[in-house]
Amino acid sequence: MHDQTIEFLDVDDDVRSIVAPHKQRLFIPGPTDVAADVLAAQTAPMIGHRSDEFEALFAKCEAQLQRLFETTARVYMVAASGTGLQEAAIRNLVKSRVVSFVNGAFSQRWYDVALGCDKAAIRVDVPWNTAVKPAQVADALQSALADGPVDAITVAHNETSTGVMSPVAEIAATVRRISPETLVLVDAVSSFSGVRIPVDAWNIDLLLTSSQKALALPPGLAFCSVSDRALARAADVKGRGWYFDFLTLEKALKKNTTPATPAISLMRSLGVQLDRIFAEGTEARYARHARLAERTRCWAVENGFALMAEAGYASQTVTTVANTRTISVKALNAYLARHDMEISNGYGDYKDKAFRIAHMGEVQDSDMDRLFAAMSAFLARHD
Ligand SMILES: *Cc1c(COP(=O)(O)O)cnc(C)c1O
């Protein structure tokens, strides 16, 4: 087992000397560990956000994000966490009715956000630990359409609370077939950049994510792609607010800037991290996430645990392990803490009944080796 060393990009020697090499400590589904050079990029001096230097940084990040989202449409970058863009999506794209699929805590949050924005939100419950299926989407949409048009549907690609991934390509195709006018809004907060999501090819109208999960950046930035037809729809929606108004963001984006003061230091980190992502290669990055997920599922089963996620729909970025051996998750985490590592307990009702191992962002095979060795040692002592 060896620590992964990282390459430093655009970092002064004096900064380089104070940052430690990357070694994963956090196996929780966000925030994730940030590579040292990405963290260090935040220490560069401030610049004005109407300067040429900032506009160049913005343009570079925008082009790279479009590549990563696989879209020719725009990607907005905002100083907020992902929830801010859940709210932006609702306020900009839902005139009155939205159908929200709820199969966990974060998809439920999007439903709650829609209610908070005073929209007619129609909640469709899907059992936790299972994925949202195209047939359920078809049924729910058809019954909602009986009462009038549906502006949009919301769905979480990767339900972080349960470790379930839903087939958003098929869901988007189903929505298009049944109700072509209905916009498809997707939360990919904990999967984006760990799993391939070709936004244009899949006809996703809005895909949102935040910085601190698979993107492995500090918290504080959020990103969303917005299709041309979604942007056109926003122009007809009242009560879009100001900070997250897509029309205002669009006007600024055309000038390579943001309407309000951007999080300049975080944007510098973003620039470095996007370079790292493309240096690794997106295919290699997606393959690494798939491999680490498979290794984690194997470790769990080999060690006498069961998997919580419906078979065939397990997340590639976070694995929810059913605590069938009824170990103390608290004791496990205390043991891991002594080895400078941390995993997550089960979410909500699943506290102590499950635990979650995140393998997203910059986590490498060697990090998993270290984690599995420590967890196996813990189990051996507690048999
Ligand atoms: C973490 C998470 C959110 C919330 O994102 P914040 O950046 O914390 O606001 C929303 N959806 C999913 C799927 C998440 O994992």
Side-chain angles (χ1 to χ4, degrees):
M1 266 168 279
H2 50 270
D3 297 341
Q4 193 218 355
T5 50
I6 47 117
E7 278 181 31
F8 292 88
L9 305 163
D10 301 332
V11 178
D12 293 340
D13 280 339
D14 52 345
V15 172
R16 193 176 303 184
S17 66
I18 60 166
V19 292
H22 178 72
K23 180 166 124 182
Q24 195 74 17
R25 298 174 303 113
L26 297 176
F27 297 86
I28 61 173
T32 54
D33 282 313
V34 179
D37 53 342
V38 177
L39 271 182
Q42 294 177 101
T43 62
M46 281 310 122
I47 50 173
H49 59 292
R50 307 295 182 220
S51 65
D52 291 346
E53 189 183 346
F54 180 76
E55 286 172 18
L57 174 63
F58 184 102
K60 166 203 141 69
C61 292
E62 175 67 16
Q64 287 179 310
L65 284 171
Q66 285 175 306
R67 244 179 98 193
L68 205 51
F69 276 78
E70 300 191 39
T71 183
T72 56
R74 75 245 358 108
V75 178
Y76 297 134
M77 299 175 251
V78 299
S81 80
T83 308
L85 287 180
Q86 284 189 334
E87 187 154 322
I90 299 294
R91 292 190 74 171
N92 279 275
L93 303 179
V94 177
K95 243 186 200 162
S96 60
R97 299 176 78 224
V98 56
V99 173
S100 293
F101 294 91
V102 176
N103 65 334
F106 291 106
S107 44
Q108 174 168 334
R109 181 180 295 179
W110 214 350
Y111 165 75
D112 291 335
V113 164
L115 291 181
C117 294
D118 214 19
K119 306 296 179 182
I122 299 153
R123 175 185 178 131
V124 181
D125 280 295
V126 176
W128 282 39
N129 301 323
T130 71
V132 178
K133 308 282 174 21
Q136 295 164 328
V137 172
D139 286 351
L141 197 52
Q142 252 142 5
S143 77
L145 285 166
D147 301 325
V150 173
D151 298 315
I153 66 116
T154 66
V155 65
H157 175 236
N158 193 65
E159 238 316 337
T160 319
S161 58
T162 57
V164 168
M165 221 158 63
S166 287
V168 291
E170 288 86 343
I171 290 168
T174 302
V175 174
R176 277 274 170 144
R177 179 169 51 78
I178 291 174
S179 180
E181 297 302 302
T182 300
L183 299 174
V184 176
L185 316 183
V186 177
D187 172 335
V189 168
S190 60
S191 49
F192 183 75
S193 91
V195 181
R196 182 171 178 234
I197 312 172
V199 163
D200 286 358
W202 290 0
N203 280 316
I204 294 170
D205 289 292
L206 177 140
L207 187 88
L208 66 91
T209 193
S210 43
S211 51
Q212 78 280 11
K213 305 233 173 139
L215 276 169
L217 284 159
L221 289 180
F223 315 97
C224 71
S225 64
V226 175
S227 69
D228 287 341
R229 69 175 197 148
L231 184 61
R233 188 77 62 88
D236 278 341
V237 177
K238 290 206 170 59
R240 298 190 304 272
W242 195 92
Y243 189 66
F244 290 126
D245 178 5
F246 288 169
L247 274 67
T248 306
L249 286 165
E250 181 71 12
K251 225 168 122 182
L253 182 134
K254 290 208 167 107
K255 296 183 199 148
N256 288 319
T257 191
T258 51
T261 314
I264 293 165
S265 305
L266 290 172
M267 294 279 294
R268 289 204 197 268
S269 284
L270 171 66
V272 176
Q273 178 64 355
L274 287 168
D275 287 344
R276 292 178 99 258
I277 288 173
F278 287 111
E280 177 180 17
T282 51
E283 286 312 314
R285 188 176 181 82
Y286 301 145
R288 172 167 59 79
H289 280 83
R291 183 174 71 245
L292 300 185
E294 177 64 21
R295 287 190 61 193
T296 305
R297 290 190 294 267
C298 286
W299 178 89
V301 171
E302 278 165 13
N303 283 278
F305 294 101
L307 301 169
M308 286 290 264
E310 178 183 13
Y313 298 92
S315 167
Q316 307 273 60
T317 57
V318 56
T319 296
T320 306
V321 179
N323 187 9
T324 40
R325 286 179 65 167
T326 59
I327 59 163
S328 161
V329 178
K330 199 173 164 207
L332 170 60
N333 243 342
Y335 180 83
L336 291 175
R338 292 204 289 280
H339 295 82
D340 203 22
M341 288 181 277
E342 182 182 348
I343 61 163
S344 271
N345 208 320
Y347 195 98
D349 291 346
Y350 294 108
K351 183 162 184 251
D352 299 322
K353 298 195 177 78
F355 53 91
R356 293 175 298 160
I357 301 169
H359 27 74
M360 63 173 82
E362 297 307 306
V363 185
Q364 307 297 325
D365 284 281
S366 56
D367 297 313
M368 298 313 293
D369 293 340
R370 202 159 49 87
L371 177 70
F372 295 149
M375 289 197 302
S376 295
F378 172 86
L379 292 175
R381 288 171 182 219
H382 288 79
D383 259 343

